[in-house]
Amino acid sequence: MHHATPGAGGRGALTPGTLALVVGVLAVQLGFLLSYIGSFHHPRPQGIPVAVVAPQKAADRLDRLPGDPLSVTVVDDERAARERVRKREAEGAYLMDPSGARDTLLVASGAGGPQAQALRRVGERVAAEQDRRLKMVDIAPAGEQDYESLTPFYLIVGWLVGGYLLASLMGVLAGTRPARPELGALRLAGAAAYAVLSGLGGAIIVDPVLHALPGHFVALWWVGALLVFGTAACTLALEAFLGIVGIGVAVLIFVVLGNPSAGGAFQEHLIPSFWRAIGDWIPTGAGTTAVRNIVYFSGNALGTPLLVLGGWALAGAVLLLAGSLRRREPGLTLPL
C-alpha cells in the first residue's frame, strides 16, 4: 500500500516562476484600475480644436477661457468652418453673428457624444456671459442605432480581443516561439485568414444585423481585418520573445493602455495629457478613429489611422519572424 505524502499534490506550486506570474497579474490588474480611473474620473475639455467665425477680439476671448477648454482657429465664414469639421481639422465651430444676438455652435456627435456636449456647455457659458443666445447644430450626428458614437469603439474592442485571443491560443497549443521562420510564417498565414473572417463577421454584425453602422460594409470589413491581423501578429511576436509573459504585455498595451485612450467613452480632448498623447498611436485608438471617420466623415483623415494600424501589423510580422530565428532557451513553464 502506498501512502500519500502530505503536501505532495502542491509541490512546486510556489515556485519562483509561479510567484512571478502572480505578481505580474497583480501589476496588470492594478494598472488596469489606474489607467481606467485615472483617465475617466474627471473628464474636462482641454484644447478642443474649434473653428471660429468672429471678430479677432472675440476669437481671442474664446481662446483664453479659464482652463483652456478650446483651441481656436479663425476662419472666414460658415462654409470654411463646416469644412474644417468634416475634414477632422476641428471638432466644432462657433459662429458669431455681429449684427444680432444669436450665435451658432456647430458640433459633430459622430466624433463622440461627450465631446459634443462639452462643447455645448462651453458655448452656452460664453453666450450667457455676453447676453447672447446660442443655437447648436449637429452637422455630423451619430447614427440612430449608435448611441453617443460608442459602436465604433466597441467594434474595435471586439476585434482586438479576437486577435490577441487567437495568438494566445496558438501559443498555448503550439508553443510560444516558432522553431523556425517557416513555422512563424505559417502562424501569420493562419492569423491573416482568421483576420479576414473576423473583419467580415464584425461588419455583418454592425451593418445588416444591427444596423448600427450601416452603409460602409466593405470598408469596415477590411479595417477590421487589418486590425485583427496586427493585434494577433504583435501578440505572437511578444510571445516569441517573452514567452507566456508576452500575452500579459499584449493585454497591457491593447487593453490597459489602449482602451481608456481610444476616445471611446470620453474623447481625446476630455482626458488627461498622458492618455491623450498615446491614444492615436495604439491600435485601439487608431481603429476607433478610422471607423468613425469612415462612417461619419466621408472617409476624411484616414491616412494616419491606417498607417498606424499597418505599422503595428508590419512590426508584429517582422518581429515574429525574427523571434523564430533566435536560439531557443529554456522557457517559463507553468506548474500543473
Side-chain angles (χ1 to χ4, degrees):
M1 177 180 294
H2 296 281
H3 297 279
T5 303
R11 183 178 299 164
L14 296 177
T15 63
T18 302
L19 182 60
L21 284 178
V22 171
V23 171
V25 169
L26 178 62
V28 170
Q29 178 191 25
L30 296 179
F32 184 96
L33 292 172
L34 176 63
S35 188
Y36 275 69
I37 298 173
S39 59
F40 293 162
H41 78 288
H42 183 52
R44 62 183 181 87
Q46 305 162 71
I48 302 178
V50 173
V52 172
V53 180
Q56 188 63 50
K57 185 176 181 180
D60 289 343
R61 187 165 57 247
L62 287 172
D63 204 27
R64 297 172 184 151
L65 293 172
D68 295 320
L70 306 179
S71 177
V72 167
T73 299
V74 178
V75 297
D76 293 334
D77 52 30
E78 179 178 347
R79 180 179 178 181
R82 286 175 174 266
E83 191 70 7
R84 286 187 68 85
V85 175
R86 290 197 181 100
K87 289 186 175 180
R88 308 300 287 121
E89 295 169 350
E91 301 295 343
Y94 194 97
L95 315 176
M96 185 173 289
D97 181 5
S99 62
R102 184 169 185 171
D103 299 335
T104 301
L105 176 67
L106 306 180
V107 299
S109 63
Q115 179 173 260
Q117 293 306 315
L119 282 173
R120 177 186 61 79
R121 289 190 293 270
V122 173
E124 288 176 345
R125 187 174 76 240
V126 169
E129 290 173 353
Q130 304 298 317
D131 291 326
R132 303 175 70 85
R133 291 174 296 162
L134 185 70
K135 177 179 71 171
M136 189 172 83
V137 178
D138 195 342
I139 62 174
E144 292 182 1
Q145 302 297 318
D146 179 21
Y147 178 73
E148 301 280 31
S149 191
L150 283 170
T151 301
F153 171 66
Y154 289 119
L155 175 62
I156 292 302
V157 170
W159 274 330
L160 279 165
V161 168
Y164 66 71
L165 283 182
L166 172 71
S168 301
L169 181 63
M170 287 183 177
V172 170
L173 295 179
T176 55
R177 184 183 304 168
R180 54 186 187 275
E182 304 93 278
L183 295 178
L186 186 61
R187 293 192 189 191
L188 290 174
Y194 176 89
V196 171
L197 293 175
S198 178
L200 175 61
I204 290 173
I205 289 171
V206 298
D207 191 347
V209 174
L210 297 179
H211 307 290
L213 302 175
H216 305 274
F217 183 87
V218 174
L220 294 181
W221 175 4
W222 291 106
V223 166
L226 178 60
L227 178 81
V228 173
F229 177 76
T231 306
C234 287
T235 305
L236 288 169
L238 288 168
E239 290 176 356
F241 281 90
L242 303 176
I244 196 172
V245 174
I247 299 173
V249 175
V251 171
L252 178 67
I253 295 171
F254 299 131
V255 178
V256 174
L257 295 177
N259 284 7
S261 63
F266 295 104
Q267 287 66 61
E268 174 184 355
H269 296 283
L270 301 179
I271 58 178
S273 57
F274 171 76
W275 288 271
R276 192 162 63 244
I278 66 174
D280 290 339
W281 308 107
I282 296 177
T284 328
T288 301
T289 298
V291 171
R292 283 176 172 158
N293 289 356
I294 288 168
V295 174
Y296 297 120
F297 298 95
S298 304
N300 288 316
L302 272 179
T304 297
L306 292 181
L307 281 174
V308 170
L309 295 177
W312 280 85
L314 179 61
V318 171
L319 289 173
L320 173 61
L321 295 178
S324 66
L325 289 169
R326 297 173 65 229
R327 182 174 62 85
R328 296 184 69 83
E329 299 170 357
L332 179 63
T333 58
L334 290 177
L336 299 178

